Amino acid sequence: MVNKKISAETASARGRNAQAKFFQHVSELRLWSVLAGVEMFMLAGRGAFGYRNDAAEYISTLMIVLLSVPLLYVVFMKRNGSPAKVIGYVMGLISGLELLEYGARLVLHVPTDWTGELLSWAGTVVMLMPMLYFVIVDIRHREYTERQLTYMAYHDVLTGLPNRQMFQKSLSLSVRGAKTSKRKFAVLYIALDRFKNVNDTFGHAFGDLLLVEAADRLRVGLRPGDRVSRPSGGEFTLMLRDIADREETERMVKSIIGQLTSPFLLDGHEIRVGCSVGISMYPSDGDDAVTLMKNADTAMYRAKDEGKNGFAFYAAEMNDSVIQKLVMEEWLNKAMEQNELMLYYQPQVDMTVGRVIGMEALLRWAHPRIGFISPAEFIPLAEETGLIIPLGKWILRRACMQNKAWQLQGYPPVKMAVNISPVQFYQHDFVQEVLDALNESGLDPKYLELEITEGVAMHHVDQVILKLQALRKLGVHIAMDDFGTGYSSLHYLKKFPIDKLKIAQQFVRDITVSPDDAAIVQAIMAMARSLKLHVIAEGVETKEQLDFLLHADCREIQGYIYSKPLPAEEISCLLERMSA
């Protein structure tokens, strides 16, 4: 596949070169045609006005026509002659040959009609100069346009940096040179972290300013012989030549990260973005341009997965993880088609009265060959590929229908909590999607609780508030999931129409041994009381954790201390016992 890509690019480059040469020859032919046409016209004009054309006239005209070919070729090889210069060269050729003709006539004592010769020369100049000028200007304009189009084909218009195609061409040349010199070099794939957030928050014009400034910083930091390009979006590629080893590469990469981590002062705003860098080394990670760029790209995504604002060297097993992700994506598509996905439900309990007050719907995947697959493995993949949108609709409808089914069976009504992915929430028809699920199931909106994360609430704030208000008007409850793990502030929390905070499991886990976690939970409880919000703690597993939470006045809990997530049939039995 790599060889095919290189062959295609080589063929394309050869085609462009052949096209350029063809147009160059056409331009030469146009000038030559003008010159030859004027000479032939003047030769015929002499006869028409009664002047006799002898052998010397024919020889002189033929020499002008023939010798103009190499002259025009040399002029067009330079490709930088002004119209005046080209006309000067041509008129110099004509004048020189005319003088040579006159000299020959004098030496050979050939009779000469000087009046006719002067009129012929003057007529040639008068006719030829404007015609040559307009033809040359037209040719130069076309050449300028061609150069501009070529530049745009190989460069990023915004930053002026080479684009992916030009970088790959330079990289291929470096590979050939390195094979001869036995030198090493590194290819870097850089992605600006949170660039999308900058675009979404401040607009694309502001994002363009950030890209230009980032490109300037990278350009200034280059050594002679290094290369930088912008292939797309908020991404850059670099080639660092003559690298001794990984340690030297690491030092240079850290310097680049430092350049891009420093704040950007743009239009009165101070922005910090950081970057994730993937690194492939020649020759250990590839011996052609395509492979080196692909492996650096793969390593960049590993750097993102490891927390962003860092770097990762390519390793062969990274390709295994990419293949595994592709396989998982195919499995997930089949799972949705073949009903391998199911919902489990975990009770939410008010411990002051010992009564189940709600259920959280949790997605489970029972693969026919390898058994249950953790949601931590396939939910991020579903969000990345967009599968979370149809999957989220299915979860919402299924959870509403199950809750209504329990009510129809005579069990005490409880709220059904459903996790909402940010990707799903940002869909323009999300509110209508919730309404459709309620209408289809017949569930009263007050028995549905949607759990959103702090991450959802921190972007497109005005749109988020409008959607949450629309849901609240329907009667749907809103809970903020994993509270304390994101970037919420009291200012935002007051603005959002939410009903409940859900204390993240990571704070509950060490609540009895970590003073910091204990202080965070107590602070959340105090804040919730001041804002008149309900609080539920998830991941409660021990009596000690439960006692601490009750002492902190957290009455609602969810966790293994009461029940693990169960399929609908077993939840029915639990509700049956509770009713009895």
Side-chain angles (χ1 to χ4, degrees):
M1 180 63 73
V2 169
N3 291 334
K4 287 182 180 178
K5 286 183 179 179
I6 294 176
S7 299
E9 288 165 5
T10 303
S12 177
R14 288 174 179 170
R16 285 191 298 271
N17 291 335
Q19 187 181 37
K21 287 182 179 179
F22 172 76
F23 281 118
Q24 178 180 325
H25 293 322
V26 168
S27 299
E28 294 172 20
L29 184 61
R30 287 175 65 191
L31 272 181
W32 181 82
S33 299
V34 170
L35 180 59
V38 169
E39 284 295 321
M40 294 298 183
F41 178 81
M42 292 307 301
L43 194 64
R46 282 171 56 88
F49 283 97
Y51 296 101
R52 188 174 62 86
N53 293 320
D54 56 16
E57 288 293 342
Y58 288 108
I59 292 172
S60 174
T61 299
L62 181 63
M63 293 297 292
I64 290 173
V65 171
L66 292 178
L67 291 179
S68 63
V69 174
L71 174 66
L72 293 175
Y73 178 77
V74 170
V75 168
F76 274 89
M77 284 296 291
K78 292 182 178 181
R79 299 178 68 87
N80 60 357
S82 65
K85 281 186 178 180
V86 177
I87 292 173
Y89 292 145
V90 173
M91 298 312 298
L93 172 66
I94 294 174
S95 300
L97 289 173
E98 290 287 349
L99 290 174
L100 185 61
E101 178 192 345
Y102 300 155
R105 287 177 182 277
L106 291 173
V107 171
L108 298 175
H109 302 288
V110 177
T112 304
D113 185 349
W114 294 106
T115 303
E117 292 296 331
L118 288 173
L119 288 174
S120 175
W121 185 86
T124 300
V125 171
V126 170
M127 289 185 63
L128 193 59
M129 285 183 64
M131 294 178 69
L132 282 177
Y133 178 82
F134 287 117
V135 171
I136 293 168
V137 167
D138 179 62
I139 291 171
R140 288 295 183 239
H141 177 72
R142 189 194 59 78
E143 290 177 346
Y144 172 78
T145 303
E146 181 184 333
R147 285 194 297 271
Q148 289 295 105
L149 291 174
T150 301
Y151 179 87
M152 292 171 65
Y154 286 103
H155 290 79
D156 170 46
V157 177
L158 177 64
T159 62
L161 293 177
N163 60 14
R164 178 190 294 273
Q165 192 173 4
M166 186 65 177
F167 182 80
Q168 190 166 308
K169 190 175 181 181
S170 300
L171 193 55
S172 296
L173 293 174
S174 296
V175 168
R176 285 202 284 275
K179 286 179 179 178
T180 303
S181 63
K182 305 298 181 184
R183 292 182 176 179
K184 298 178 181 179
F185 63 84
V187 176
L188 276 54
Y189 211 110
I190 303 173
L192 297 180
D193 297 331
R194 297 182 295 280
F195 176 68
K196 184 178 184 300
N197 292 345
V198 172
N199 263 347
D200 292 343
T201 304
F202 297 100
H204 290 278
F206 193 90
D208 289 346
L209 293 176
L210 175 60
L211 289 173
V212 171
E213 175 65 23
D216 289 342
R217 292 187 185 187
L218 291 172
R219 192 186 285 116
V220 169
L222 291 180
R223 305 168 304 167
D226 292 343
R227 297 285 184 270
V228 60
S229 78
R230 179 186 171 228
S232 63
E235 298 177 346
F236 298 89
T237 49
L238 271 75
M239 178 182 65
L240 304 179
R241 300 187 65 178
D242 300 332
I243 296 295
D245 48 35
R246 287 168 65 102
E247 287 71 24
E248 182 182 359
T249 305
E250 186 172 329
R251 285 195 300 272
M252 296 182 69
V253 169
K254 287 180 178 178
S255 174
I256 291 170
I257 292 175
Q259 293 172 14
L260 297 179
T261 303
S262 299
F264 292 81
L265 186 59
L266 304 170
D267 201 18
H269 297 274
E270 187 176 283
I271 304 295
R272 296 177 184 268
V273 290
C275 64
S276 299
V277 185
I279 310 162
S280 63
M281 303 288 294
Y282 175 86
S284 57
D285 298 329
D287 59 358
D288 63 81
V290 175
T291 303
L292 287 166
M293 290 178 68
K294 177 180 72 69
N295 290 342
D297 188 24
T298 301
M300 182 268 289
Y301 279 103
R302 174 59 61 86
K304 280 181 173 289
D305 291 342
E306 291 176 351
K308 299 185 178 181
N309 203 33
F311 63 91
F313 283 91
Y314 171 76
E317 58 267 20
M318 291 181 184
N319 277 337
D320 295 338
S321 66
V322 172
I323 293 172
Q324 184 180 3
K325 183 181 288 187
L326 291 174
V327 171
M328 184 73 76
E329 183 179 351
E330 179 62 25
W331 283 0
L332 188 53
N333 275 294
K334 288 183 178 179
M336 295 175 65
E337 296 170 0
Q338 299 174 5
N339 299 320
E340 295 172 10
L341 299 171
M342 63 192 72
L343 290 183
Y344 275 39
Y345 304 90
Q346 189 170 33
Q348 297 175 335
V349 185
D350 183 341
M351 294 306 296
T352 58
V353 294
R355 182 170 62 86
V356 174
I357 57 172
M359 299 282 176
E360 180 179 7
L362 300 168
L363 186 62
R364 294 294 183 263
W365 179 6
H367 192 275
R369 292 199 302 275
I370 62 177
F372 280 95
I373 298 177
S374 169
E377 292 186 42
F378 68 86
I379 292 296
L381 178 63
E383 292 183 322
E384 181 181 335
T385 59
L387 288 174
I388 195 66
I389 296 173
L391 189 56
K393 289 183 180 180
W394 178 83
I395 294 170
L396 184 59
R397 290 171 182 257
R398 182 68 182 170
C400 289
M401 292 175 70
Q402 182 60 67
N403 199 17
K404 183 62 178 180
W406 283 327
Q407 292 179 12
L408 293 175
Q409 292 171 24
Y411 300 127
V414 296
K415 285 200 296 284
M416 176 64 73
V418 179
N419 289 283
I420 302 299
S421 161
V423 178
Q424 182 184 7
F425 185 87
Y426 288 136
Q427 297 300 303
H428 69 279
D429 60 345
F430 175 69
V431 175
Q432 185 61 46
E433 179 184 317
V434 174
L435 186 59
D436 290 344
L438 291 168
N439 290 336
E440 183 180 341
S441 63
L443 183 68
D444 190 315
K446 68 181 180 182
Y447 295 119
L448 175 63
E449 181 175 84
L450 301 181
E451 295 187 359
I452 63 170
T453 63
E454 292 176 83
V456 168
M458 292 304 104
H459 303 295
H460 311 292
V461 175
D462 293 338
Q463 296 179 30
V464 170
I465 291 174
L466 288 175
K467 284 187 178 181
L468 293 180
Q469 288 174 342
L471 292 167
R472 284 289 299 277
K473 285 180 181 178
L474 291 175
V476 175
H477 295 265
I478 307 295
M480 186 167 285
D481 194 15
D482 292 334
F483 184 75
T485 60
Y487 308 96
S488 289
S489 68
L490 284 173
H491 171 68
Y492 284 132
L493 211 54
K494 287 193 302 180
K495 294 174 66 176
F496 293 136
I498 60 175
D499 304 281
K500 182 184 292 185
L501 301 179
K502 196 169 189 180
I503 301 175
Q505 183 177 359
Q506 66 189 68
F507 298 131
V508 175
R509 184 184 303 115
D510 297 324
I511 201 171
T512 59
V513 294
S514 169
D516 291 338
D517 288 343
I520 289 172
V521 170
Q522 289 172 334
I524 291 173
M525 292 302 305
M527 180 174 60
R529 280 194 295 270
S530 67
L531 295 174
K532 296 180 175 56
L533 298 175
H534 294 281
V535 180
I536 184 170
E538 64 179 335
V540 183
E541 298 179 351
T542 67
K543 186 177 183 302
E544 290 77 16
Q545 293 169 345
L546 178 60
D547 290 342
F548 181 95
L549 290 166
L550 290 174
H551 186 265
D553 202 27
C554 179
R555 302 176 181 181
E556 298 179 17
I557 66 102
Q558 175 183 339
Y560 275 59
I561 192 171
Y562 187 86
S563 173
K564 65 181 181 180
L566 299 169
E569 299 78 17
E570 295 185 36
I571 290 292
S572 297
C573 296
L574 185 149
L575 293 174
E576 185 74 37
R577 291 195 302 271
M578 187 179 70
S579 299

